[in-house]
């Protein structure tokens, strides 16, 4: 039987020599390299089938090395180059939600169960949060507005209660 027209490169590193018997894992690795080469269009179907048949029939590591020597993934493992991704293709980081806006929204919603005690903190946190959101480009404008509106409604309600109580006490005497 004549030698195939494959380059006679060195056998895979890590083995003692071309006459070392090939394992099933060695054959499968060689077939995987051949499949990748065929998938990339580096050989015709007929050549691929012949090489796969020879890989399964190979007795030594040296025979397998010859079958994949002219393909990019064989016979030696190659490290993949680290590709630099241009900034234009990187995902844009999502801005975070302002914590004070969250606190303003929570305080505003708690105005009803606390009978308005969290109204003033909601107003203060809402104003501070809106200023930070504008300067930092953060998210949470809706939460800050919710806190502001509910806080001001609560504060206005308490102010109305105080005015009415004052009028009633003045009228009573």
């Amino acid at each position: 039987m004549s030698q195939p027209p494959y380059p006679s490169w060195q056998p895979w590193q890590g083995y003692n020599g071309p006459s070392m018997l090939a394992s099933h894992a060695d054959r499968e690795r060689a077939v995987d390299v051949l499949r990748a080469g065929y998938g990339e269009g580096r050989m015709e179907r007929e050549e691929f089938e012949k090489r796969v048949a020879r890989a399964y029939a190979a007795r030594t590591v040296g025979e397998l090395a010859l079958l994949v020597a002219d393909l990019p993934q064989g016979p030696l493992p190659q490290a993949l180059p680290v590709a630099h991704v241009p900034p234009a293709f990187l995902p844009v980081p999502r801005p975070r939600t302002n914590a004070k806006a969250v606190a303003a929204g929570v305080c505003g919603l708690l105005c009803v169960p606390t009978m308005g005690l969290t109204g003033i903190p909601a107003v203060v946190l809402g104003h501070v949060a809106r200023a930070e959101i504008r300067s930092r480009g953060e998210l949470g404008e809706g939460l800050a507005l919710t806190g502001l509106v509910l806080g001001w409604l609560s504060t206005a309600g308490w102010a109305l209660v105080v005015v009415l109580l004052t009028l009633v006490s003045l009228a009573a005497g």
Side-chain angles (χ1 to χ4, degrees):
M1 180 165 32
S2 66
Q3 282 288 356
Y6 311 122
S8 57
W9 288 20
Q10 298 286 332
W12 293 344
Q13 282 188 345
Y15 294 102
N16 293 332
S19 62
M20 176 182 255
L21 293 178
S23 69
H24 293 301
D26 294 331
R27 289 182 192 90
E28 289 303 322
R29 181 181 182 279
V31 170
D32 287 342
V33 171
L34 291 170
R35 280 189 190 118
Y38 176 70
E40 294 171 353
R42 296 182 185 276
M43 65 182 95
E44 297 295 323
R45 179 145 188 90
E46 184 180 319
E47 180 183 358
F48 166 71
E49 289 172 357
K50 284 181 184 177
R51 286 191 189 198
V52 168
R54 285 198 51 132
Y56 284 124
R59 288 195 29 85
T60 65
V61 173
E63 291 175 57
L64 294 174
L66 289 175
L67 291 173
V68 298
D70 59 344
L71 297 173
Q73 298 176 0
L76 303 175
Q78 297 176 354
L80 295 175
V82 178
H84 174 70
V85 178
F89 296 107
L90 292 175
V92 178
R94 185 168 182 227
R96 65 183 199 92
T97 303
N98 186 286
K100 290 181 181 122
V102 174
V106 170
C107 286
L109 292 173
L110 288 175
C111 283
V112 174
T114 63
M115 296 179 58
L117 292 177
T118 58
I120 293 176
V123 170
V124 171
L125 287 168
H127 282 295
V128 172
R130 289 190 73 206
E132 287 181 0
I133 287 169
R134 278 189 296 254
S135 68
R136 297 180 189 169
E138 295 174 321
L139 300 176
E141 181 71 25
L143 290 168
L145 282 174
T146 301
L148 277 171
V149 169
L150 295 175
W152 277 118
L153 286 174
S154 166
T155 304
W158 273 109
L160 184 63
V161 168
V162 169
V163 168
L164 289 176
L165 286 176
T166 303
L167 291 174
V168 169
S169 68
L170 288 175

